[in-house]
Amino acid sequence: MKRALIVGCHGQDGRLLLEQLKAKDYAVLGIGRSSCVTHGDLAKEIFCEHALDVVNILDQSKVLDVFRIFKPDEVYYLAAFHHSADTRLAQTIDIFTRSYDVHVRGLLCFLEAMLAQRPESRLFYAASSHTFGTVESERITESTPLNPICVYGITKAAGVQCCRLYRKQHGVFASAGFLFNHESIYRRSDFLSQKIVRAAVAIKRGLESELKLGDLSAVVDWGFAGDYTRAMQKILSIEEPNDFIIASGIPRTVRDFAEASFKAVGLDYRKYVHETPMPGLRRRAPLIGDAAFLQSSTGWEPSVSFHRMIGEMVRHEANRYGLVLSLAN
């Protein structure tokens, strides 16, 4: 039985990955901010015997204990600190510090633990398209220079560089995946995708009358999160560690997302969605990924279409209120 350690188990990707690894009969130990989760008798036995109720990922001794006790074959470092896009908050020392702690310091604790306790372990680091900032090329590849322009991107880029350093200097199997926008029913409510989905259902139920969005023509590379967590597993299954773009490669607009969401509940988005430009909002070049290297290296292919993904999100939201939808997509 393989053993997997998921750091950031309560987030969207952590929850999907846990479900997928359960189906593959892994022993799984998930580490969250306030609690741990387990799957499999082995993980539960270790969990109970050593009382691993909470693990501080910044405490090197605790992380070493996890490796010594659980002996993971695979480590998925998915921990992320998301903060408000408000420019008044985004550049504060506190935001930088908390982002660096989660995206870099915690990662280093796990890389060091691999060296000390489990050098045969394989680690996946969840990086982000935000590490590329603004780019000139139409498609982003693994050779596109890192050029982050936000705190999240800067600290995620630092995490990528840590993985590169450890695999080059210490021979650690540490791969990074640059995750482009990916959605599922587990996406947090404050993300744009969920705001649109929830508004469509609320308007269908007669609880709201309109949805205001800042820029309907903004272009996004959207994919299904479950496909991206499958990619993570494939990346750890190949012979050599590397960095990979994980993306759909298909540009979509916010208008496309809104249209599909409202169509799923039988409404015309044009009657309810209103574009309300935000003061000071600057349009940036779209970030569209090229996953050709991932596909040729691992055989990965996305399996869930844009419209099916949105349909599942809308159906899940509608089911919360007993609203049964018959979706065409």
Side-chain angles (χ1 to χ4, degrees):
M1 178 181 287
K2 282 193 173 183
R3 308 181 188 192
L5 184 62
I6 302 175
V7 186
C9 63
H10 297 313
Q12 169 185 250
D13 296 353
R15 294 175 69 178
L16 287 166
L17 183 60
L18 180 61
E19 291 175 0
Q20 291 169 352
L21 293 177
K22 281 181 178 180
K24 295 169 72 172
D25 201 28
Y26 270 60
V28 183
L29 174 60
I31 297 175
R33 290 181 182 177
S34 58
S35 64
C36 292
V37 297
T38 61
H39 172 71
D41 293 339
L42 175 63
K44 292 177 182 177
E45 179 182 339
I46 293 171
F47 179 83
C48 295
E49 181 179 348
H50 297 276
L52 294 173
D53 54 341
V54 178
V55 176
N56 181 358
I57 64 173
L58 302 180
D59 187 332
Q60 182 69 73
S61 65
K62 295 296 184 184
V63 176
L64 282 168
D65 284 344
V66 170
F67 273 78
R68 177 177 55 81
I69 296 166
F70 188 58
K71 298 179 176 61
D73 299 296
E74 299 171 3
V75 180
Y76 297 89
Y77 194 92
L78 312 181
F81 176 67
H82 297 283
H83 58 83
S84 170
D86 192 320
T87 55
R88 293 172 300 174
L89 301 176
Q91 303 301 323
T92 65
I93 291 177
D94 180 57
I95 295 297
F96 263 109
T97 300
R98 295 172 68 184
S99 298
Y100 182 81
D101 282 347
V102 175
H103 303 155
V104 184
R105 280 187 61 207
L107 170 65
L108 288 171
C109 287
F110 282 82
L111 290 170
E112 282 293 318
M114 287 173 66
L115 278 177
Q117 295 286 348
R118 189 75 173 171
E120 64 269 37
S121 293
R122 297 184 168 203
L123 180 141
F124 174 86
Y125 178 68
S128 167
S129 60
H130 288 286
T131 59
F132 298 105
T134 56
V135 295
E136 298 295 332
S137 59
E138 292 185 1
R139 289 288 189 275
I140 294 174
T141 69
E142 291 78 8
S143 62
T144 303
L146 302 182
N147 184 35
I149 57 175
C150 65
V151 177
Y152 187 84
I154 290 169
T155 50
K156 281 289 188 177
V160 172
Q161 298 289 20
C162 289
C163 290
R164 292 174 177 176
L165 178 69
Y166 271 72
R167 71 176 182 239
K168 180 178 181 180
Q169 292 195 357
H170 303 294
V172 170
F173 194 112
S175 291
F178 297 98
L179 300 168
F180 282 64
N181 291 67
H182 51 293
E183 314 295 337
S184 76
I185 62 174
Y186 297 132
R187 178 56 87 190
R188 275 178 15 194
S189 62
D190 55 342
F191 278 70
L192 174 63
S193 57
Q194 280 287 29
K195 288 181 179 179
I196 295 174
V197 165
R198 294 190 176 200
V201 173
I203 290 172
K204 178 68 174 181
R205 296 174 62 218
L207 300 179
E208 296 179 12
S209 59
E210 65 175 355
L211 170 63
K212 295 181 180 180
L213 296 174
D215 185 2
L216 290 174
S217 60
V219 177
V220 180
D221 182 339
W222 265 303
F224 174 56
D227 283 335
Y228 290 23
T229 51
R230 284 196 304 103
M232 298 174 190
Q233 297 167 64
K234 284 184 172 291
I235 287 170
L236 293 193
S237 71
I238 60 179
E239 187 174 346
E240 297 292 336
N242 214 321
D243 301 331
F244 298 90
I245 299 293
I246 306 178
S248 76
I250 302 174
R252 307 277 188 178
T253 64
V254 174
R255 178 179 285 104
D256 292 332
F257 201 104
E259 181 179 10
S261 299
F262 277 78
K263 182 180 179 180
V265 297
L267 298 176
D268 184 345
Y269 84 101
R270 292 171 295 185
K271 296 179 180 180
Y272 307 97
V273 178
H274 305 292
E275 191 173 51
T276 307
M278 298 174 60
L281 180 66
R282 294 182 300 172
R283 180 179 296 181
R284 295 171 178 167
L287 298 177
I288 308 300
D290 183 345
F293 181 54
L294 170 65
Q295 293 168 350
S296 64
S297 299
T298 70
W300 176 82
E301 290 283 352
S303 64
V304 176
S305 71
F306 176 74
H307 289 89
R308 179 183 162 193
M309 173 188 75
I310 293 175
E312 289 181 358
M313 294 173 70
V314 171
R315 179 165 36 228
H316 181 266
E317 175 67 12
N319 286 345
R320 293 175 58 202
Y321 304 101
L323 180 61
V324 178
L325 301 176
S326 177
L327 303 179
N329 295 312

